[in-house]
Amino acid sequence: MFKKIKHVFISIYVICIIKPIAYLVYEKKYLTGKYFQNACDVGWRWVMKGLFFQKVLGFNRDVPWPVSCRCSVGFPQNIFFHPDDLNNFQGIGIYVQGYGRTFIGHGTWIGPHVGLITANHNIDDLDSHCTPKGIEIGKKCWIGMNSVILPGVTLGNKTIVGAGAVVTKSFPKGNCIIAGNPARIIKELR
């Protein structure tokens, strides 16, 4: 009985207060998908946290979708993903540097403390960056904890990146497990 009453009050709160505010501060396309089906879904909790940490305290303030304050997202206008994959921006320590185009395929999972880097520092002038090179991650990939994907990398569909891997080159065929520093194929998948 208590759960039903709690569910009703949460639904009213989300529908009457949180949704209207969210539609003002976030792009509506990011407030759709599997995490936003009902008023009590986890997506609306991400919105409530995001409203406070992003819009009030200023963590990732310019990002037009809910992002955990424990993540760092730069140049969000260059980052493209499906709204069903908003969960990738709710973890711990995820760093997405959007200097260059960053595309994350539908159904991809990104583990904690992963870096997606699109521009390195210029070795002759560390105060400036080299020309950005985009990153493209295919559909249904899994990027393991503490991995780093460097500029210009393309990962094909169903590529699994082992924990701690440093991906310096592309694996466009996909359907494989890569690991190591630098990353290499350790197993082909069917």
Side-chain angles (χ1 to χ4, degrees):
M1 178 76 169
F2 178 73
K3 275 189 167 182
K4 287 184 180 183
I5 294 170
K6 180 181 173 185
H7 183 78
V8 169
F9 279 115
I10 290 172
S11 296
I12 292 169
Y13 177 69
V14 168
I15 292 168
C16 295
I17 297 172
I18 298 302
K19 271 189 178 183
I21 295 170
Y23 289 141
L24 289 174
V25 299
Y26 293 121
E27 287 185 25
K28 190 174 181 178
K29 69 180 179 181
Y30 296 115
L31 304 178
T32 61
K34 67 182 182 182
Y35 298 110
F36 295 93
Q37 299 299 310
N38 299 304
C40 290
D41 283 350
V42 69
W44 294 110
R45 281 186 267 154
W46 296 337
V47 167
M48 286 187 271
K49 289 178 185 176
L51 289 173
F52 180 71
F53 286 104
Q54 286 179 262
K55 305 308 177 182
V56 175
L57 297 182
F59 294 97
N60 297 302
R61 178 172 278 150
D62 61 337
V63 180
W65 63 84
V67 178
S68 168
C69 64
R70 300 173 295 178
C71 296
S72 180
V73 176
F75 299 92
Q77 67 274 15
N78 295 329
I79 301 169
F80 303 93
F81 63 95
H82 191 280
D84 281 351
D85 300 319
L86 188 63
N87 59 301
N88 288 320
F89 298 94
Q90 308 309 317
I92 299 170
I94 295 164
Y95 176 75
V96 184
Q97 179 198 69
Y99 284 121
R101 183 179 188 275
T102 303
F103 178 83
I104 302 168
H106 190 201
T108 289
W109 286 83
I110 299 176
H113 303 288
V114 167
L116 303 179
I117 315 297
T118 57
N120 284 318
H121 288 273
N122 182 334
I123 60 172
D124 296 322
D125 177 15
L126 296 179
D127 292 329
S128 66
H129 286 89
C130 297
T131 304
K133 296 178 185 171
I135 292 175
E136 186 165 343
I137 300 172
K139 296 178 182 177
K140 297 197 178 285
C141 293
W142 174 15
I143 313 301
M145 182 177 190
N146 294 324
S147 299
V148 178
I149 299 178
L150 294 176
V153 167
T154 296
L155 299 178
N157 296 339
K158 296 184 182 177
T159 300
I160 298 171
V161 179
V166 178
V167 185
T168 59
K169 67 178 184 174
S170 294
F171 297 88
K173 282 178 43 181
N175 294 303
C176 61
I177 300 172
I178 61 175
N181 181 4
R184 60 182 176 77
I185 295 176
I186 60 170
K187 183 175 183 179
E188 298 277 348
L189 301 174
R190 291 181 181 178

